[in-house]
Amino acid sequence: MTNTAKYIFVTGGVTSSLGKGIIAASLAKLLQAQGYRVTIQKLDPYINVDPGTLNPYEHGECYVTEDGAETDLDLGHYERFLNRATSQANNVTTGRIYQSVIDKERRGEFLGKTVQVVPHITDEIKERIQILGKSGDYDIVITEIGGTVGDIESLPYIEAVRQLRWDLGENNGIVIHLTLVPFLSAAGELKTKPTQHSVKTLMESGVQADILVCRTEHNLPKDLRRKLALFCNVKENAVIQSIDASTIYDVPNLMLDEGLDKVVLEKLNLKSDTPDIERWNQFVHRHKNPKSEVTIGLIGKYVELQDSYKSILEAFIHAGAENEVKVKVESVHSEYINKDNVHLKLGHLDGVLVAPGFGERGIDGKIDAVQYVRENNVPFLGICLGMQMAVIEFARNVLGIKDAASSEMNSDTKNAVIDLMEDQKTITDKGGTMRLGAWDCDLKLGSAIRDIYKSESISERHRHRYEFNGDYKAQMEAAGMQATGLNPDTGLVEIVEIPTHPWFIGVQYHPEYKSTVANPHPLFVAFVKAALLHSRGKRSATMAKK
Ligand code: GLN
């Protein structure tokens, strides 16, 4: 396939965490809204083959694509902004690059040559960058390069970009460099020097930035932009300010005001138009002007870090806007919940979500939380480990199976109501071996879930090793916990619900990965609605007392 796509490379300088992913996603949104077919790719310079084995403390949430790739959380932003699925090709790591080159070497594909970073590793990077462009599915590919220029790990990527710009020819590949313009309060001044240095570092590798996007806390005055343009070899209209925003969903409009899309299209020799972001703006308006408020508890063990449950938090924003409700998410550390304090910790909440997770830490608190919401009619959504905890809680406290457990945490239990399937028992490698990616699920007639999705069958993304043990299904159903979603091929239980409870649903899959601005996830929308009803009920009960 010929390479007809145009390429935009996004690099970062000065410091990490400047929000390259959001800038890339916002630009992509503006280009998409002018009729271009756009995709975004993230290149991560670390040596892990994928972030699936990384602790969320280390790298935030692991995002899962339709095709089962465990990827960087920036891919979540790409999907949420563009409403288009990404795939394995959208996330490449140094580990993956090296693995592929070493495999080729073992197969003898380099014909006796010495295998080196240049050209073999850089060739592999260039090939990976062009996979999406050569597919014919996209007009523009945005490639975000993780890390900060000057890092040792980033060098082969920057070299690949340098070469590719030549290979692609003029107007076919451009570089956007994202930097920081700090404000020194003691001097009362914005400082350009770090940006100048980082552009210079990029130039030492032979790459000239075409556009600068400058993160800043204050507006960049005209003379400062002129100075940056002069010292960094870019045109004045190519110095774009990216001022701190109250929500990431404001960034596309901020970039539009700065004319980022226009400069990009001009440099790529493509036609520019007024982007149609009407629907996007309606969402932002609803998000910023809620009519009421609910508080939902997020019970997990990575509560200190916003990034660990990124997709869940974003799904609440989409669902909140859809309901015109502000969803206040209150993180509750499951390790500190017990039977004595559970009322104190959860009593004021309008809904409770028990989060996904791995390992033993904090699971008793999760089980106590489920028991509390089940007995007190508080809306409950359990996701993955959260659903498994709901099954264990029901088995223990309703069926009276005291040693009911998951074999993940207790491999000796006689009652593994959550257990490994046969095909998982022989697996020893941890990376990429879970049940991953999109799986079909049939929804039971008359169930709440079928009403929520308004569909007989769905497809959702998974990331887990353990499953509902079918041996207990009949007992559980007889006691009131229904299996209302089943995988059509394996019969595995994907959804449980308690019909006698106002809103109690556990799902083995991760609905949060598929919630986007254009398509808020129906399960989150329904959960927020249930929380709103619950809060109104609580309010009228208190009023009646008065
Ligand atoms: N630890 C559980 C499993 O592997 C749940 C995983 C999750 O919540 N993503 O089955």
Side-chain angles (χ1 to χ4, degrees):
M1 194 49 105
T2 52
N3 201 354
T4 51
K6 306 254 184 180
Y7 291 82
I8 301 169
F9 304 101
V10 182
T11 58
V14 183
T15 162
S16 59
S17 306
L18 289 180
K20 269 184 300 212
I22 301 296
I23 294 293
S26 301
L27 172 61
K29 184 77 228 167
L30 295 176
L31 300 176
Q32 184 192 51
Q34 294 173 53
Y36 290 107
R37 297 171 306 155
V38 193
T39 189
I40 319 177
Q41 178 189 46
K42 172 96 190 264
L43 306 183
D44 275 313
Y46 52 71
I47 297 173
N48 301 65
V49 173
D50 60 44
T53 52
L54 283 170
N55 187 328
Y57 277 115
E58 194 76 24
H59 201 69
E61 165 189 278
C62 171
Y63 185 78
V64 179
T65 58
E66 287 288 296
D67 62 350
E70 295 177 277
T71 70
D72 186 80
L73 59 78
D74 272 344
L75 271 77
H77 291 308
Y78 307 161
E79 291 204 11
R80 288 187 280 272
F81 275 52
L82 297 183
N83 196 35
R84 272 199 82 138
T86 54
S87 69
Q88 179 68 76
N90 294 76
N91 194 193
V92 176
T93 66
T94 295
R96 203 170 280 282
I97 298 280
Y98 270 79
Q99 194 175 48
S100 164
V101 169
I102 291 169
D103 286 349
K104 285 182 186 162
E105 186 273 335
R106 291 289 83 183
R107 289 198 298 269
E109 285 181 26
F110 295 116
L111 306 172
K113 289 257 182 273
T114 309
V115 182
Q116 294 179 295
V117 173
V118 181
H120 301 99
I121 295 296
T122 46
D123 279 353
E124 184 76 27
I125 296 174
K126 282 160 69 180
E127 202 181 307
R128 299 284 176 140
I129 291 176
Q130 294 175 93
I131 285 178
L132 292 160
K134 286 183 178 169
S135 70
D137 294 337
Y138 303 102
D139 306 313
I140 300 171
V141 178
I142 302 181
T143 300
E144 177 194 344
I145 297 169
T148 309
V149 295
D151 292 352
I152 292 176
E153 294 98 333
S154 304
L155 279 174
Y157 292 94
I158 303 291
E159 169 61 12
V161 170
R162 187 193 69 75
Q163 293 182 16
L164 251 181
R165 285 236 287 191
W166 280 103
D167 298 349
L168 293 166
E170 219 174 317
N171 302 120
N172 292 326
I174 60 166
V175 173
I176 298 179
H177 189 54
L178 181 62
T179 72
L180 175 72
V181 176
F183 179 75
L184 291 190
S185 41
E189 267 179 59
L190 286 159
K191 291 292 180 190
T192 63
K193 198 70 90 189
T195 299
Q196 294 181 44
H197 276 295
S198 118
V199 169
K200 198 168 138 202
T201 310
L202 197 56
M203 275 178 87
E204 278 166 11
S205 303
V207 175
Q208 165 66 52
D210 297 286
I211 297 169
L212 296 180
V213 175
C214 307
R215 266 304 288 275
T216 172
E217 288 173 40
H218 300 275
N219 282 314
L220 301 184
K222 217 170 165 28
D223 58 334
L224 186 137
R225 293 181 190 233
R226 209 173 296 134
K227 183 173 166 191
L228 273 174
L230 182 67
F231 289 135
C232 300
N233 292 325
V234 297
K235 286 198 178 148
E236 222 177 294
N237 71 348
V239 178
I240 304 288
Q241 105 175 356
S242 168
I243 199 149
D244 290 357
S246 61
T247 156
I248 55 169
Y249 297 106
D250 273 342
V251 182
N253 275 304
L254 291 174
M255 291 303 107
L256 180 64
D257 293 345
E258 285 284 307
L260 176 62
D261 56 318
K262 273 214 169 64
V263 209
V264 162
L265 290 170
E266 186 189 293
K267 292 201 186 294
L268 291 175
N269 218 356
L270 292 171
K271 210 165 87 282
S272 77
D273 211 336
T274 313
D276 177 8
I277 47 169
E278 174 92 21
R279 272 185 70 194
W280 180 276
N281 288 341
Q282 283 166 4
F283 154 78
V284 176
H285 181 79
R286 279 197 308 272
H287 170 48
K288 290 186 169 176
N289 297 282
K291 297 199 168 117
S292 35
E293 183 177 297
V294 294
T295 308
I296 292 183
L298 173 62
I299 321 289
K301 63 175 178 181
Y302 307 114
V303 295
E304 305 85 351
L305 289 173
Q306 284 285 309
D307 277 359
S308 308
Y309 301 114
K310 194 80 200 157
S311 295
I312 291 178
L313 298 177
E314 299 302 323
F316 274 130
I317 291 179
H318 309 152
E322 189 70 12
N323 282 294
E324 300 188 289
V325 172
K326 176 175 170 56
V327 180
K328 267 178 61 193
V329 178
E330 196 175 300
S331 295
V332 187
H333 203 306
S334 55
E335 243 189 321
Y336 308 123
I337 301 177
N338 56 47
K339 283 203 169 46
D340 298 330
N341 67 14
V342 65
H343 177 71
L344 207 71
K345 296 223 177 232
L346 310 184
H348 61 290
L349 299 170
D350 304 315
V352 164
L353 187 151
V354 176
F358 294 84
E360 204 174 350
R361 193 160 70 91
I363 61 151
D364 291 333
K366 287 186 174 173
I367 294 173
D368 290 339
V370 179
Q371 181 176 8
Y372 179 82
V373 297
R374 181 178 58 76
E375 291 177 352
N376 290 283
N377 291 330
V378 181
F380 165 79
L381 177 59
I383 297 183
C384 209
L385 184 71
M387 174 263 203
Q388 298 176 353
M389 293 302 115
V391 170
I392 294 170
E393 189 280 320
F394 196 84
R396 286 188 190 172
N397 300 326
V398 178
L399 292 179
I401 308 174
K402 291 288 166 237
D403 62 347
S406 163
S407 47
E408 179 180 2
M409 292 87 190
N410 179 354
S411 49
D412 302 328
T413 179
K414 285 196 204 57
N415 286 295
V417 290
I418 302 294
D419 202 5
L420 272 189
M421 292 298 99
E422 281 311 315
D423 56 350
Q424 279 284 342
K425 287 187 178 158
T426 48
I427 291 175
T428 50
D429 277 5
K430 288 267 184 285
T433 55
M434 283 188 258
R435 174 141 87 106
L436 289 165
W439 289 71
D440 290 335
C441 173
D442 289 345
L443 307 181
K444 198 167 157 185
L445 193 68
S447 62
I449 198 82
R450 185 145 157 182
D451 193 41
I452 289 167
Y453 278 93
K454 309 242 173 308
S455 173
E456 290 168 27
S457 70
I458 54 168
S459 163
E460 290 280 7
R461 299 182 200 169
H462 291 244
R463 180 174 186 251
H464 56 101
R465 228 178 270 288
Y466 295 81
E467 308 279 353
F468 181 109
N469 181 345
D471 294 349
Y472 294 87
K473 187 163 155 245
Q475 274 185 75
M476 300 281 252
E477 293 204 315
M481 177 176 269
Q482 304 296 321
T484 53
L486 300 180
N487 177 271
D489 304 317
T490 58
L492 286 170
V493 174
E494 316 283 40
I495 304 166
V496 293
E497 55 185 88
I498 300 179
T500 52
H501 186 285
W503 211 97
F504 189 105
I505 296 177
V507 292
Q508 186 57 83
Y509 52 82
H510 291 263
E512 70 274 22
Y513 293 145
K514 280 179 77 166
S515 187
T516 69
V517 166
N519 263 322
H521 197 286
L523 195 49
F524 277 87
V525 173
F527 181 44
V528 170
K529 199 185 242 159
L532 186 63
L533 279 177
H534 184 78
S535 84
R536 287 192 181 138
K538 271 198 313 195
R539 223 176 310 140
S540 44
T542 354
M543 275 176 3
K545 261 191 225 159
K546 286 180 186 160

